[in-house]
Amino acid sequence: MKQIDEKAEWHEFNQETIDALIEDGSEADAQYTIEHHLASNDFDKLEKAAVDAFKAGFEVSDAEELILDDGGMIFCFDAVIERKLERPALDKDVENLLVIADKHDVHYDGWGTYFMPRDDEADDESDGYELND
């Protein structure tokens, strides 16, 4: 099964995440730094996915090595873009990255962002947090 076949579930995730951020008091109209996560145990495949993500308009972070609980190792990077919390744009970004992930046989692992307090809550002490799958 291709990852793009799961786009409906990702669209639902997008809406749930947007709703959770807004309900928790995050600014609805702010520009958010959206970090999409991609991973693979094959660095060469991941590197090709990163090139395609860059060509698709994302800023691409340097690849990192992560040691898994079972001792295995994977490589990962973030495809970053500035967006408002608008579902159509997020859905399109996710779909583009699912196609890239399928093309290069890497894993799309969701997206995260940070809480952006509303102006009336900016005086409250808040470190922000990341939401992701």
Side-chain angles (χ1 to χ4, degrees):
M1 178 163 152
K2 294 195 173 280
Q3 293 175 86
I4 192 65
D5 296 335
E6 298 173 357
K7 73 179 179 180
E9 289 88 354
W10 284 112
H11 291 177
E12 185 177 323
F13 170 82
N14 293 347
Q15 190 63 56
E16 290 170 357
T17 304
I18 291 166
D19 291 345
L21 282 162
I22 302 306
E23 287 172 18
D24 286 347
S26 199
E27 178 65 46
D29 294 324
Q31 284 287 113
Y32 286 79
T33 300
I34 308 292
E35 299 174 351
H36 297 269
H37 313 294
L38 290 100
S40 177
N41 58 0
D42 184 321
F43 183 82
D44 291 332
K45 289 180 180 182
L46 191 70
E47 187 174 43
K48 290 175 183 172
V51 169
D52 278 356
F54 179 79
K55 288 178 180 178
F58 295 88
E59 180 181 325
V60 176
S61 69
D62 291 336
E64 297 180 34
E65 290 181 41
L66 295 176
I67 306 296
L68 303 174
D69 291 339
D70 66 3
M73 184 178 61
I74 61 166
F75 302 96
C76 59
F77 75 89
D78 291 334
V80 181
I81 198 157
E82 296 290 321
R83 288 267 183 255
K84 289 189 175 191
L85 292 179
E86 296 172 344
R87 177 148 169 219
L90 288 169
D91 287 351
K92 185 174 192 258
D93 289 343
V94 168
E95 288 176 24
N96 287 340
L97 291 168
L98 288 171
V99 168
I100 290 169
D102 283 338
K103 176 182 175 184
H104 296 290
D105 194 27
V106 302
H107 178 69
Y108 175 76
D109 195 34
W111 61 270
T113 192
Y114 293 91
F115 183 85
M116 301 281 290
R118 292 184 192 132
D119 288 334
D120 60 336
E121 296 177 8
D123 295 333
D124 295 345
E125 195 170 315
S126 174
D127 293 332
Y129 57 90
E130 183 173 352
L131 296 173
N132 62 34
D133 186 50

